C-alpha cells in the first residue's frame, strides 16, 4: 500500500498472513480478477529473512510457475533427482524419477516469499506490513470482519470471505467456535538444532541420517551455502553448541563405512532450536472463514511437507473462491475442508513416519531401534517400499 494511503475498509477476500500461503493466495486471486487485501503483522524484512523450508514438490513449482513466480526459481532452484538415507553406517540412494517420474527442487522459502512479495508490490492487491489481525467476527454472516491494528490505530476490514493464512500462532482459527473445532495434536521428545553454514554442501543431494546418537539432516540452500540439522533434546540452548561441536556431531552421525566423509567446515551464520509438532484443526472452514497452511495444520519438518501443504491448500481455495466469484456457486467452497484434509492427513502420516523412523527417542529401547532399522532396510530392499516413500516425498498430485 502506498505510504499515506487510507487503510482498505472493504474487500472480496481478506487474507490474514503474508507468509507463503497468504501471498500465493493473493497472487492466484489477483490473476483471476478477484479483489483481495493481505494483512501481515510483521515487517517486510522479517518475513523475507525467516529461515524455514527448503524443498519444493514438483506440484508446488508448477503452481509458482503458472502464476508468474517461476523466473528466479527456474534460474536458481536446484533440481534434485533423489535423496540419500544413511543408517547402520551404510548409504542408500532413492532415485525419484525412476521410482515416481517426479523430482523436487531446492529453493528456500525465503526466496519464494521474496518473489511473491516483489510481484505483489509491483502490480498486485494491497499488502499491509505491520498490520496485526486482532480478531475475526461475523464468520457465520455474509459480511465477516477482520479487526486489525495498523499504524497505532485499530481498523476494520469488511470482507466477502476471510482466508486465515496466519500460521500456527495466528488468530483466524479462533473464528471457528470452540464447540465446532477439534484439534488433533502430538509432540515429540526431541527438537532440531538448525544451522546455516558458509560451506559448500557436503553431498550433492539431501542426506537423512539415522544414528543411535540421533538424527542428522544435510541440506543446502545454494552451491556455497549448507543448511544442516541435528536432533537435540527439547529445551536445548543453542549456546551449548559451539560450531566445532556441531561439525563433529554431524560427522559422527552421518558417517558411513563405504567412503570417508569429511565436510568442508565453514562459518555458521545462523543457529536456532526448533521444537517438532504434529497438529490438525478440523474443520478448515467455518461459515465464511477458511483456514489454509500452518493456520490449520503443522507437521514435523522431517518429510519436508509444511510449505507444500500450504501451497496445495491455497490452490484448492483459490479455485473455489474464483468459482464462487464467477458463477455465484459456493459448491467448491463447501467441499474445501474435506478436499484438503484428505491430503493433510496423508502428509501427517508420512511426516510422522519419517520422524519416528529416523529419530532416536530418549527412552528408546534396543528393540525400537531394531524396528527402525528393519523399516529402513525394507525401503532399501524393496522397490515398492522405496516408491511409497518417494511418492510421498515428491508429492501426490494436487486434488
Ligand atoms: P507462515 O509461514 O507461518 O506464515 C503466516 C504468516 O502470518 C503472519 N501472522 C499474522 N499476520 C497478521 N495478523 C496476525 N494476527 C498474524 N499472526 C501471524 C505471520 O507473521 C506469517 O508471516 O504460514 P504459511 O504461510 O501457512 O506457510 C507454512 C510454512 O511456513 C511452513 O509449513 C514451512 O516452513 C514448514 N517447513 C517446511 N516445509 C516444507 O514444505 N519443506 C521443508 O523443507 C520445510 N522445512 C519447515 C522446514 C519449517 C521449519 N520450522 C521453522 C518449523 C524447516 C523448518 C526448520
Ligand atoms: C531444509 O532444507 O530446510 C529442509 C530440507 C528437508 C527437510 C527439512 C528441511 O526435510
Amino acid at each position: 500500500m502506498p505510504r499515506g494511503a487510507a487503510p482498505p475498509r472493504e474487500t472480496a477476500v481478506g487474507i490474514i498472513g503474508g507468509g507463503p500461503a497468504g501471498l500465493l493466495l493473493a497472487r492466484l486471486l489477483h490473476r483471476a480478477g478477484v479483489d483481495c487485501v493481505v494483512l501481515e503483522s510483521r515487517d517486510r524484512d522479517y518475513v523475507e529473512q525467516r529461515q524455514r523450508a527448503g524443498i519444493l514438490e514438483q506440484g508446488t513449482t508448477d503452481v509458482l510457475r503458472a502464476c508468474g513466480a517461476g523466473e528466479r526459481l527456474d534460474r536458481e532452484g536446484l533440481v534434485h533427482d533423489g535423496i540419500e538415507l544413511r543408517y547402520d553406517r551404510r548409504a542408500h540412494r532413492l532415485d525419484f524419477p525412476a521410482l515416481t517420474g517426479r523430482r523436487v527442487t531446492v529453493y528456500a522459502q525465503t526466496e519464494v516469499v521474496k518473489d511473491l512479495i516483489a510481484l505483489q508490490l509491483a502490480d498486485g492487491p494491497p499488502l499491509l506490513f505491520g498490520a496485526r489481525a486482532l480478531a475475526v467476527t461475523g464468520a457465520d454472516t455474509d459480511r465477516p470482519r477482520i479487526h486489525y491494528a495498523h499504524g497505532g490505530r485499530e481498523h476494520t476490514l469488511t470482507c466477502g470471505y476471510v482466508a486465515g493464512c496466519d500460521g500456527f500462532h495466528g488468530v483466524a482459527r479462533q473464528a471457528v467456535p470452540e464447540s465446532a473445532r477439534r484439534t488433533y495434536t502430538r509432540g515429540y521428545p526431541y527438537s532440531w538444532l538448525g544451522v546455516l553454514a558458509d560451506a559448500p554442501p557436503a553431498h550433492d543431494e539431501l542426506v537423512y541420517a539415522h544414528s543411535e546418537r540421533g538424527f542428522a539432516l544435510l541440506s543446502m540452500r545454494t552451491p556455497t551455502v549448507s543448511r544442516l540439522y541435528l536432533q537435540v533434546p527439547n529445551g536445548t540452548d543453542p549456546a551449548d553448541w559451539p560450531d566445532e561441536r556441531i561439525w563433529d556431531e554431524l560427522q559422527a552421525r552421518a558417517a558411513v563405512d563405504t567412503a570417508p566423509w569429511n565436510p568442508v567446515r565453514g562459518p555458521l551464520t545462523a543457529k536456532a532450536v526448533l521444537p517438532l509438532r504434529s497438529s490438525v484443526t478440523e474443520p478448515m472452514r467455518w461459515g465464511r472463514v477458511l483456514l489454509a497452511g500452518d493456520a490449520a495444520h503443522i507437521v514435523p519438518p522431517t518429510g519436508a511437507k509444511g510449505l507444500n501443504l500450504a501451497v496445495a491448500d491455497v490452490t484448492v481455495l483459490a479455485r473455489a473462491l474464483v468459482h464462487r466469484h464467477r458463477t455465484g456457486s459456493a459448491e467448491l467452497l463447501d467441499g474445501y475442508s474435506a478436499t484438503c484434509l484428505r491430503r493433510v492427513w496423508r502428509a501427517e502420516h508420512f511426516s510422522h513416519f519419517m520422524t519416528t523412523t529416523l529419530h532416536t527417542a530418549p527412552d528408546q529401547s534396543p528393540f525400537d531401534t531394531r524396528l527402525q532399522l528393519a523399516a529402513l532396510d525394507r525401503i532399501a530392499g524393496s522397490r515398492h517400499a522405496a516408491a511409497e516413500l518417494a511418492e510421498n516425498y515428491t508429492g501426490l498430485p494436487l486434488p
Side-chain angles (χ1 to χ4, degrees):
M1 192 178 72
R3 217 173 274 278
R9 302 167 66 87
E10 219 170 316
T11 185
V13 183
I15 300 174
I16 312 176
L23 293 167
L24 180 62
L25 178 62
R27 182 82 196 147
L28 294 170
L29 292 178
H30 176 66
R31 282 172 71 90
V34 180
D35 159 59
C36 61
V37 170
V38 179
L39 305 175
E40 165 55 49
S41 57
R42 303 288 192 156
D43 64 32
R44 179 178 180 179
D45 222 37
Y46 183 92
V47 174
E48 289 188 343
Q49 300 307 324
R50 202 164 29 194
Q51 274 307 320
R52 286 200 170 172
I55 296 289
L56 308 184
E57 295 172 2
Q58 200 162 308
T60 298
T61 52
D62 290 346
V63 171
L64 291 170
R65 249 178 236 124
C67 74
E71 194 200 318
R72 200 161 64 94
L73 166 69
D74 282 334
R75 228 178 326 119
E76 298 177 16
L78 307 170
V79 176
H80 279 199
D81 282 352
I83 56 170
E84 190 166 283
L85 295 176
R86 293 188 186 175
Y87 62 98
D88 206 16
R89 299 186 65 85
R90 288 181 284 147
H92 178 79
R93 178 170 186 265
L94 295 178
D95 180 336
F96 291 155
L99 291 162
T100 68
R102 296 165 88 85
R103 303 176 151 82
V104 294
T105 303
V106 176
Y107 190 66
Q109 182 168 327
T110 47
E111 307 314 297
V112 174
V113 164
K114 279 180 207 163
D115 295 345
L116 290 170
I117 288 177
L119 286 169
Q120 186 157 347
L121 294 179
D123 75 347
L127 163 58
L128 276 69
F129 289 105
R132 186 164 58 87
L134 305 170
V136 178
T137 56
D140 52 359
T141 71
D142 59 4
R143 302 307 280 161
R145 289 172 301 283
I146 305 172
H147 306 273
Y148 69 99
H150 182 56
R153 297 186 48 198
E154 285 190 18
H155 309 271
T156 300
L157 180 64
T158 304
C159 312
Y161 288 88
V162 172
C165 302
D166 48 351
F168 187 59
H169 300 289
V171 298
R173 215 165 36 238
Q174 286 151 27
V176 185
E178 237 172 284
S179 56
R181 185 181 354 135
R182 177 126 191 229
T183 298
Y184 303 83
T185 184
R186 97 154 260 189
Y188 296 86
Y190 31 73
S191 300
W192 279 14
L193 173 66
V195 303
L196 272 178
D198 276 338
H203 193 73
D204 51 8
E205 292 176 337
L206 267 62
V207 174
Y208 288 78
H210 173 279
S211 126
E212 287 190 32
R213 303 175 68 97
F215 170 71
L217 170 59
L218 316 178
S219 181
M220 63 192 72
R221 288 291 173 265
T222 68
T224 56
V225 176
S226 297
R227 177 75 168 147
L228 306 159
Y229 298 98
L230 284 173
Q231 174 191 339
V232 291
N234 286 339
T236 292
D237 180 353
D240 292 338
W241 283 86
D243 294 11
E244 286 311 305
R245 183 177 177 203
I246 292 175
W247 286 113
D248 288 346
E249 195 60 30
L250 285 163
Q251 209 159 341
R253 293 185 190 185
V256 285
D257 286 334
T258 41
W261 186 68
N262 293 306
V264 177
R265 297 186 174 204
L268 302 186
T269 55
K271 224 180 260 186
V273 170
L274 324 152
L276 270 52
R277 198 180 288 124
S278 302
S279 175
V280 180
T281 294
E282 297 184 1
M284 289 171 63
R285 172 194 176 197
W286 183 256
R288 288 187 171 230
V289 177
L290 301 120
L291 304 175
D294 279 18
H297 42 73
I298 51 169
V299 286
T302 327
K305 287 291 125 209
L307 169 60
N308 295 295
L309 270 186
V311 168
D313 286 353
V314 297
T315 305
V316 176
L317 180 52
R319 203 187 298 146
L321 288 166
V322 171
H323 186 69
R324 169 77 175 81
H325 176 77
R326 291 192 178 151
T327 67
S329 160
E331 182 195 355
L332 296 184
L333 287 167
D334 291 343
Y336 169 71
S337 181
T339 301
C340 288
L341 284 169
R342 271 194 295 278
R343 186 187 186 86
V344 166
W345 278 110
R346 173 89 298 281
E348 289 287 346
H349 179 270
F350 176 63
S351 305
H352 177 267
F353 166 78
M354 289 289 279
T355 303
T356 53
T357 303
L358 288 165
H359 291 69
T360 299
D363 59 351
Q364 186 160 312
S365 70
F367 183 87
D368 297 333
T369 304
R370 283 287 184 269
L371 288 184
Q372 291 179 321
L373 294 174
L376 291 164
D377 245 357
R378 172 84 186 141
I379 294 162
S382 152
R383 190 185 162 86
H384 291 292
E388 168 67 6
L389 191 157
E391 270 187 30
N392 281 283
Y393 194 92
T394 56
L396 300 167
L398 280 172

